[in-house]
Amino acid sequence: PVTEGTRDHHRTSSSAILDINPSTTPHAPPHLAPLASLLQAHRALIVRKLKGLEGAVGLSVVHPTWGQTRPDKDEHKGWIFRSEDDASVVPPCGVGSIANAGVIPDVVNQAPDVRALYEIAGAGAANKFTVPILWDKADSTIINNESSEIIRLMNTEFNAVATNPDLDLYPEHLRAEIDAVNEWIYPNINNGVYRCGFAKSQAAYDEAVEGLFGALDRVEEILSKRRYLTGDTFTEADIRLFVTLIRFDEVYVVYFKCNVKCVREYSNIRNYMREIYQMPGVAETTNMDHIKNHYFTSHAALNAYAVVPRGPDVVADMQLEHDRARL
């Protein structure tokens, strides 16, 4: 999704701008172009890993900070591709430089940035060039650019080439409950942190922060009785929540003024996060350097000198023993 402002409030709108059938299966093995730092793209990275699609779905990873995409044409700053041996990238504020560790260039189209992919797909006139993108290599176009649809595509449409096809993150018997959970977690937590961080009035912030921590309290209560959000089964709802939680203490508490409580103060949530992080492959998708470099260097209005805080080392905490087997 992309961020937009409406008066005092911040909201997130769908990133899908193309007329694409969400159930479309590509003619050739597709390619995924995400951003390791962005929570919506992180969802797709986790599902790709858990389903065992690394051999079937290629991967490019954009640079964590924004760069100017068409300096000879306009002022747009967005996601850029780099190689690890390229020169470091200067953030939008013009101060400092961010190294290229962990990036993977676009080996399919040799595109310099995500904007170029939209242009190749015939959507260059758009003003929102978002990630993740699921790319059809045969037709040189975007299959889908909405993360919630991409994770469901990868859950069901590529089982023939997945090494873990039996994993179903959206099982039929839990779909109604998963949808219901997503319905309140998304506006209050996933998007709630953004509504806090980009609020343009005290009233808008107060409304957002109350909704955010009310929802976190509700999650804590659910996880005191259930191992996962919908019971004993790990689902997409847990992935969608996890990607926000893993960023919370490192980024949102400071950057988005979400400092009523840290998530590490919620015992059930903290142990739930540890269990998910320790699932095979999830840690590999979680690049905390990318996460922090993106948030703290891409928005000059929020951090004029692109200074990145050092603590509190959530990754180290995620490696400690959890207690979720008791449920």
Side-chain angles (χ1 to χ4, degrees):
V2 293
T3 57
E4 296 181 349
T6 53
R7 291 192 178 180
D8 299 341
H9 295 268
H10 172 89
R11 65 183 175 89
T12 302
S13 64
S14 172
S15 63
I17 60 170
L18 304 178
D19 186 14
I20 299 168
N21 182 350
S23 65
T24 298
T25 302
H27 306 297
H31 193 81
L32 184 67
L35 171 67
S37 58
L38 191 67
L39 64 90
Q40 294 88 359
H42 193 184
R43 300 173 184 172
L45 285 174
I46 292 175
V47 173
R48 174 179 176 268
K49 192 71 175 179
L50 294 179
K51 290 287 294 187
L53 290 169
E54 300 98 310
V57 179
L59 183 68
S60 296
V61 178
V62 298
H63 195 279
T65 199
W66 287 338
Q68 198 161 357
T69 58
R70 300 293 180 274
D72 58 335
K73 182 178 179 181
D74 54 44
E75 297 298 315
H76 176 263
K77 295 179 177 65
W79 313 119
I80 57 176
F81 291 109
R82 288 294 184 271
S83 297
E84 289 199 343
D85 56 357
D86 287 340
S88 297
V89 177
V90 177
C93 67
V95 178
S97 64
I98 308 300
N100 300 310
V103 301
I104 303 175
D106 173 26
V107 297
V108 176
N109 305 283
Q110 289 74 50
D113 46 58
V114 168
R115 181 176 182 175
L117 296 180
Y118 280 79
E119 291 170 346
I120 293 170
N127 60 3
K128 303 167 185 174
F129 309 107
T130 62
V131 290
I133 290 171
L134 192 62
W135 184 264
D136 190 324
K137 291 188 288 187
D139 291 340
S140 294
T141 193
I142 296 171
I143 300 168
N144 203 296
N145 64 344
E146 167 52 51
S147 64
S148 63
E149 294 176 0
I150 289 174
I151 63 174
R152 290 187 181 177
L153 277 170
M154 291 196 295
N155 182 55
T156 59
E157 299 300 317
F158 304 115
N159 282 335
V161 291
T163 61
N164 191 16
D166 293 333
L167 174 66
D168 187 356
L169 297 165
Y170 191 54
E172 184 76 36
H173 70 287
L174 289 175
R175 288 183 180 181
E177 189 168 0
I178 292 169
D179 292 344
V181 167
N182 291 341
E183 190 69 24
W184 61 267
I185 284 182
Y186 172 75
N188 290 297
I189 299 179
N190 300 136
N191 194 41
V193 293
Y194 288 90
R195 291 171 57 220
C196 291
F198 290 93
K200 296 180 180 179
S201 73
Q202 188 65 48
Y205 169 78
D206 289 342
E207 178 184 334
V209 81
E210 287 171 12
L212 169 62
F213 285 94
L216 285 173
D217 290 343
R218 184 176 176 182
V219 169
E220 177 72 0
E221 175 64 20
I222 290 171
L223 296 179
S224 72
K225 302 181 178 78
R226 292 179 164 189
R227 187 161 186 169
Y228 305 111
L229 289 173
T230 59
D232 295 331
T233 303
F234 178 75
T235 72
E236 71 161 48
D238 300 293
I239 294 173
R240 289 169 58 119
L241 177 60
F242 172 80
V243 295
T244 296
L245 297 177
I246 198 67
R247 289 156 172 74
F248 202 92
D249 289 1
E250 293 276 10
V251 177
Y252 304 141
V253 168
V254 176
Y255 204 47
F256 286 171
K257 310 177 188 71
C258 301
N259 62 346
V260 174
K261 289 176 73 173
C262 296
V263 293
R264 63 180 178 269
E265 297 177 63
Y266 292 95
S267 177
N268 294 303
I269 291 177
R270 187 179 193 177
N271 280 278
Y272 165 83
M273 291 170 62
R274 287 174 178 168
E275 181 182 12
I276 295 174
Y277 184 86
Q278 292 170 27
M279 291 178 178
V282 174
E284 297 171 44
T285 71
T286 308
N287 188 327
M288 194 58 73
D289 287 338
H290 271 216
I291 289 170
K292 295 177 74 169
N293 282 331
H294 165 61
Y295 280 100
F296 287 105
T297 71
S298 294
H299 311 101
L302 296 185
N303 193 8
Y305 297 101
V307 175
V308 181
R310 183 171 296 180
D313 201 356
V314 167
V315 167
D317 186 79
M318 290 300 100
Q319 297 174 60
L320 300 178
E321 185 177 358
H322 66 80
D323 67 358
R324 302 304 290 169
R326 63 184 172 81
L327 295 171

